[in-house]
Amino acid sequence: MARPPVSVVMPFHGGDEDARGALGALGRLQLRDGDELLVADNTPDGVMARHAAPPVTRVPAPEVASSYFARNAGADRAANEWLLFLDADTHPSASLLDDYFAEPVADDVGAVAGEVVGADGQTALAARYSRSRRHIGQADLREHPYRPMAVTASLLVRARALRELGGFLEGMRSSGDADFSWRLQDAGWKLAYTQRAVVEHHHRETMHALLRVAARYGAGRTWLQRRHPGARFPSPLRGLARCAAGVAVWTVTLQFERALFKVIDALWIVAEAAGSLAGNVAPDPGGRDRATFFIADRFPVRGNPLARVAASADPPARIEAAARPERPDREAGRGLRARYREDDGPARRLLDLAWVTARHPLRSARHGRLGGAPLRTLAPAARRLAASRAERVQALAGSAAEPDALRVAGLLGIPCTLDPGDTGPAPQAASEEAAGRR
């Protein structure tokens, strides 16, 4: 069977044993001329460098602790028009690449989701539970009530579609694959599915690890609802009521494992709810560098001079943006550290609002009465700036972020510069007084 060459991209974050397992999984694939294997090493100390050898190419990607950043880094190095994203905890079938092309892929298809099944050999309770619930099974995800979605545990993507979208969004913990699926369809591409291309997924084997996954998914769901307001997810209270009924029914009928799984369902729902409060912020490897902070609306946006101005600072400025654009210009944002208010969870916002209010009660009262973003949404940015010992805040003059920049600087009592958009001297504004007048 003829098929186009494929670049297999696997993000990696783990230890030496994990590295050996990931390379063993890639070694199972039957390759043809032109195929390539790329491992995007997202570890800070380059674990994969000790293990990767031809035909596997290691792509260093330590800058941002995010699997989506690693996937983009791997895709940037890929030579082929078709990219197959695989997770490091999957075991692909040997014929996986051929199976994806067993049927012709239409020209308007931007991505094809293969099926993901739980590994039969796992006997731990948590793994058996995940397998019974078909966690990350693609057949179920394509029936999502909002619109079809897929996970990157096994996802074939057309490189042209990925480039058109600006790649995966970066810097968050979870749900970047769902967001990519929906942005792909918004851009006019179709998301297809094939049950012939199958990988086994090794589920978490302890309850602690399982519930951490649930919390991460919960954080991702809240983030998705901010970016895609039409997305809706099941009510936790209704889910808990079904769990209670299921436990009673399966216990009375002596089906004790099914009753136990219903108990775990309830724990999963509670962990998801807790995660939805915590936020979707990925770990920040940055230190307290006293860098200038730019306040932005959406970043990085194609054609916006903010990235050029921020990069010209010494040291390069850090970015505090409200949200990511639908099609980010990753090249413009390269080398700049950015945090996003859309990632902050409700609990983080309330805690940081309490911190700002207790530390600066008069400033908080003054700036809380001003228009623009609610003070609770600006509080996490203010606290991050304080933790980094920022000495000033900047924004592009006349941009949508200008009022927020003045208010954040005013909360902290530090100067705010309104930059005209070039790299020359910018007019200075007295942040607290200027923000108080607005």
Side-chain angles (χ1 to χ4, degrees):
M1 180 189 66
R3 65 163 175 82
V6 177
S7 298
V8 180
V9 177
M10 176 181 284
F12 174 78
H13 190 97
D16 291 310
E17 184 177 350
D18 301 312
R20 287 188 287 269
L23 293 173
L26 289 177
R28 301 174 59 178
L29 292 171
Q30 294 176 350
L31 304 179
R32 299 194 185 194
D33 290 344
D35 293 337
E36 59 179 353
L37 303 176
L38 304 167
V39 175
D41 189 352
N42 199 218
T43 61
D45 52 352
V47 169
M48 190 57 73
R50 299 193 289 268
H51 303 278
V56 176
T57 298
R58 172 183 172 266
V59 180
E63 294 85 354
V64 180
S66 166
S67 62
Y68 307 110
F69 175 84
R71 290 184 183 97
N72 283 337
D76 289 345
R77 286 282 298 273
N80 295 317
E81 177 58 16
W82 284 104
L83 314 172
L84 175 59
F85 293 101
L86 291 177
D87 279 357
D89 54 3
T90 59
H91 277 197
S93 60
S95 60
L96 182 67
L97 301 184
D98 290 344
D99 293 339
Y100 261 110
F101 292 95
E103 297 179 0
V105 180
D107 291 341
D108 59 353
V109 170
V112 184
E115 190 50 89
V116 182
V117 300
D120 288 333
Q122 292 185 284
T123 59
L125 173 64
R128 297 202 316 273
Y129 165 79
S130 294
R131 191 164 60 240
S132 75
R133 296 306 188 251
R134 297 194 299 273
H135 282 175
I136 71 172
Q138 305 271 45
D140 295 335
L141 294 175
R142 66 175 178 158
E143 302 298 330
H144 191 279
Y146 178 58
R147 69 176 70 174
M149 59 170 282
V151 294
T152 44
S154 180
L155 185 66
L156 183 71
V157 177
R158 195 186 296 269
R160 181 160 62 94
L162 187 70
R163 289 193 299 270
E164 182 180 319
L165 295 179
F168 295 96
L169 301 187
E170 300 174 350
M172 62 282 176
R173 291 193 299 155
S174 183
S175 296
D177 37 16
D179 172 82
F180 173 78
S181 300
W182 295 343
R183 288 192 296 127
L184 182 78
Q185 294 166 79
D186 287 340
W189 294 97
K190 290 182 179 178
L191 176 64
Y193 166 79
T194 175
Q195 62 181 359
R196 294 191 59 166
V198 180
V199 302
E200 284 190 344
H201 179 261
H202 277 242
H203 293 301
R204 304 300 192 274
E205 296 199 331
T206 67
M207 290 303 301
H208 178 260
L210 176 70
L211 296 180
R212 287 189 61 175
V213 170
R216 182 163 53 83
Y217 286 178
R221 285 186 172 189
T222 301
W223 178 82
L224 282 174
Q225 287 177 308
R226 290 199 188 111
R227 291 195 59 86
H228 304 272
R232 292 291 181 267
F233 296 93
S235 163
L237 294 179
R238 186 176 300 174
L240 290 173
R242 286 198 297 266
C243 290
V247 169
V249 169
W250 300 129
T251 301
V252 168
T253 57
L254 305 182
Q255 299 185 61
F256 298 119
E257 180 159 281
R258 298 185 74 170
L260 181 57
F261 283 176
K262 278 295 181 183
V263 172
I264 300 176
D265 279 342
L267 295 175
W268 178 279
I269 291 170
V270 171
E272 270 192 333
S276 71
L277 299 175
N280 202 28
V281 181
D284 183 2
R288 300 187 175 191
D289 51 15
R290 291 185 179 273
T292 298
F293 276 75
F294 260 93
I295 305 295
D297 179 30
R298 292 184 178 269
F299 179 84
V301 178
R302 192 176 306 278
N304 190 310
L306 184 149
R308 176 171 51 83
V309 175
S312 68
D314 186 21
R318 295 179 64 176
I319 309 295
E320 274 284 343
R324 302 164 179 84
E326 289 298 302
R327 300 186 184 188
D329 184 357
R330 292 190 297 110
E331 185 61 34
R334 196 177 302 278
L336 293 172
R337 287 157 52 194
R339 305 299 268 178
Y340 297 91
R341 299 201 300 272
E342 68 178 1
D343 297 348
D344 297 318
R348 179 80 276 152
R349 291 179 174 184
L350 290 176
L351 287 172
D352 288 346
L353 177 62
W355 178 86
V356 169
T357 303
R359 191 178 179 93
H360 305 296
L362 295 180
R363 294 174 188 168
S364 300
R366 181 187 309 171
H367 293 288
R369 293 194 300 268
L370 301 177
L375 192 59
R376 67 178 181 276
T377 66
L378 297 178
R383 191 164 189 181
R384 284 192 286 268
L385 267 62
S388 298
R389 300 183 295 176
E391 296 181 329
R392 65 172 176 157
V393 172
Q394 288 185 243
L396 293 182
S399 69
E402 179 184 331
D404 291 343
L406 291 167
R407 291 174 70 200
V408 169
L411 284 170
L412 299 178
I414 60 178
C416 179
T417 299
L418 300 180
D419 201 293
D422 56 34
T423 56
Q428 196 76 8
S431 61
E432 189 165 355
E433 289 75 14
R437 290 195 298 268
R438 284 178 174 264

